[in-house]
Amino acid sequence: MEMPPVNPVGEKDTSQPQQQWEKNPQENLDSTTQIKQQSPDPPTEILELRVSPNQASQILENSQGTEKLAAGLQGNSAKSRGSTNEMPEPLQASDLWYCPDGSFVKKIIIRGHGLDKPKLGSCCRVLAFGFPFGSGLPEGWTELTMGLGPWREGTWGELIEKCLESMCQGEEAELQLSEHSGPPFRLTLASFTQGRDSWELEASEKEALAREERARGTELFRAGNPEGAARCYGRALRLLLTLPPPGPPERTVLHANLAACQLLLGQPQLAAQSCDRVLEREPGHLKALYRRGVAQAALGNLEKATADLRKVLAVDPKNRAAQEELGKVIIQGKKQDAGLAQGLRKMFG
């Protein structure tokens, strides 16, 4: 690929005498400083989906992570041109796309044409290169349908779908992942069929797609894949949240199922929030009360955990899971009290 000529900042112009620099050193220094200050920092955005308990910390981490990914892409570009005598072309802000959740940075190698991008239902002809074995994406040419199919269930499928949503027809790009220190992966979008945005779907179509996602999520959960199940439940909820309130009753079930996945994935804060959504609609939902009690216990909120578990046992006294969890909370509370008492004795003894 031919590279456009580069005029490095600060290259001496031999057509003007050197005395001009010596005459106005401060003016030249100011102009150089101004050029440096005009380089904008690449924007980063944060999606509300899957927010960690400490949002401020996550925003900082994503910001630092995307800067490191961009630096890695620049380094790879420089290495690939190191065998020539030409100075490497600096990446422009328009050549990079930062995934809003900070999971990867996309560098455009060949620009596509047109303004349209793949949407829900678009059948994409894709060329993948460099993705690891087991990613679910075959090497070479393949066809992927946006929003449909088992290829989206794994981590790689989710990343590829996000990338494809940002690509134009004919575009070729490199992806540098935040958790991958090796060389970037390459993805080419040769063509795609016309799709639709979610807001263009009828309510009945959204509900049908949400039911499919829910059924697939339940299959994955029973197969021991809570991460894949959580993705399915999340996609179903995003479809149903666009419907006018109060929305279909399926939202309650989806939030409760999502909470179960989040507990297994070690995300008690998110699990507690999902249970809150259920209990806003159904205050007596026993599974949501139990799961929120487990989540609160994991977070160290023993009083809240005890309250939720006692509500479950008040309705269902023979609920063994709630009995066992409440017993654990009581023991944990006694240990905390004993530790506090020991600390006070040392302080005032």
Side-chain angles (χ1 to χ4, degrees):
M1 184 173 64
E2 296 184 2
M3 306 300 296
V6 177
N7 294 323
V9 175
E11 182 179 356
K12 185 165 65 178
D13 187 353
T14 57
S15 65
Q16 294 186 7
Q18 187 172 354
Q19 286 82 358
Q20 183 175 358
W21 175 270
E22 296 174 352
K23 263 186 184 180
N24 303 309
Q26 185 61 39
E27 181 180 348
N28 285 279
L29 180 60
D30 293 342
S31 64
T32 305
T33 304
Q34 183 178 4
I35 291 172
K36 291 181 179 180
Q37 290 175 347
Q38 287 174 353
S39 299
D41 290 333
T44 57
E45 301 171 18
I46 303 297
L47 284 179
E48 184 179 355
L49 181 64
R50 292 179 179 245
V51 177
S52 67
N54 190 337
Q55 292 183 346
S57 173
Q58 184 180 9
I59 292 171
L60 178 61
E61 290 172 4
N62 282 340
S63 175
Q64 293 173 344
T66 51
E67 288 173 4
K68 290 180 182 178
L69 294 180
L73 285 173
Q74 288 176 337
N76 288 324
S77 299
K79 289 179 183 177
S80 65
R81 291 187 290 266
S83 59
T84 67
N85 294 326
E86 296 182 6
M87 181 176 289
E89 180 186 7
L91 292 178
Q92 304 296 322
S94 58
D95 294 330
L96 298 176
W97 183 79
Y98 297 79
C99 186
D101 62 6
S103 56
F104 67 90
V105 174
K106 180 189 77 171
K107 176 193 171 186
I108 299 175
I109 305 300
I110 298 176
R111 293 191 175 278
H113 50 84
L115 298 176
D116 291 336
K117 295 178 174 63
K119 300 177 181 178
L120 180 65
S122 294
C123 183
C124 304
R125 181 160 177 76
V126 175
L127 176 62
F129 179 76
F131 289 88
F133 179 77
S135 63
L137 188 69
E139 289 282 326
W141 290 103
T142 186
E143 291 188 353
L144 305 174
T145 302
M146 300 291 288
L148 298 172
W151 68 274
R152 307 158 60 234
E153 291 164 6
T155 302
W156 290 99
E158 186 177 24
L159 292 171
I160 292 166
E161 188 169 42
K162 291 176 185 175
C163 185
L164 289 174
E165 288 174 348
S166 71
M167 299 177 74
C168 297
Q169 184 168 328
E171 182 178 321
E172 182 177 342
E174 287 183 347
L175 278 69
Q176 185 69 56
L177 274 61
S178 59
E179 299 179 357
H180 181 79
S181 58
F185 310 104
R186 185 161 293 203
L187 198 64
T188 302
L189 176 60
S191 62
F192 61 90
T193 60
Q194 187 68 30
R196 290 188 293 173
D197 285 312
S198 59
W199 57 266
E200 297 178 287
L201 300 175
E202 299 291 338
S204 58
E205 293 177 298
K206 293 180 182 180
E207 291 177 0
L209 286 173
R211 283 193 294 271
E212 291 179 11
E213 293 284 6
R214 174 188 169 186
R216 182 57 182 160
T218 302
E219 290 178 9
L220 292 172
F221 187 84
R222 290 173 177 169
N225 184 1
E227 187 175 4
R231 291 193 186 97
C232 292
Y233 294 142
R235 287 193 290 260
L237 281 168
R238 286 195 292 275
L239 285 166
L240 298 181
L241 287 172
T242 60
L243 298 176
E250 257 192 320
R251 284 172 52 180
T252 302
V253 179
L254 287 167
H255 277 299
N257 291 353
L258 183 59
C261 297
Q262 290 163 338
L263 284 174
L264 292 176
L265 293 171
Q267 300 168 341
Q269 184 70 44
L270 294 178
Q273 292 173 1
S274 296
C275 291
D276 287 341
R277 302 292 179 272
V278 177
L279 296 169
E280 287 170 2
R281 297 168 68 98
E282 293 185 28
H285 197 288
L286 293 184
K287 288 185 178 180
L289 283 170
Y290 169 75
R291 290 167 186 167
R292 190 173 69 175
V294 174
Q296 295 292 4
L299 294 169
N301 302 324
L302 302 185
E303 291 185 4
K304 292 181 178 180
T306 301
D308 283 338
L309 294 170
R310 290 192 186 281
K311 288 179 182 177
V312 174
L313 292 172
V315 178
D316 184 9
K318 296 182 180 180
N319 190 314
R320 291 190 62 182
Q323 291 173 354
E324 292 175 2
E325 193 63 33
L326 181 59
K328 294 177 185 178
V329 171
I330 292 173
I331 293 172
Q332 189 176 352
K334 289 179 179 179
K335 288 181 180 179
Q336 282 188 359
D337 292 341
L340 178 61
Q342 185 177 1
L344 291 173
R345 281 196 298 270
K346 287 182 179 180
M347 185 181 298
F348 299 104

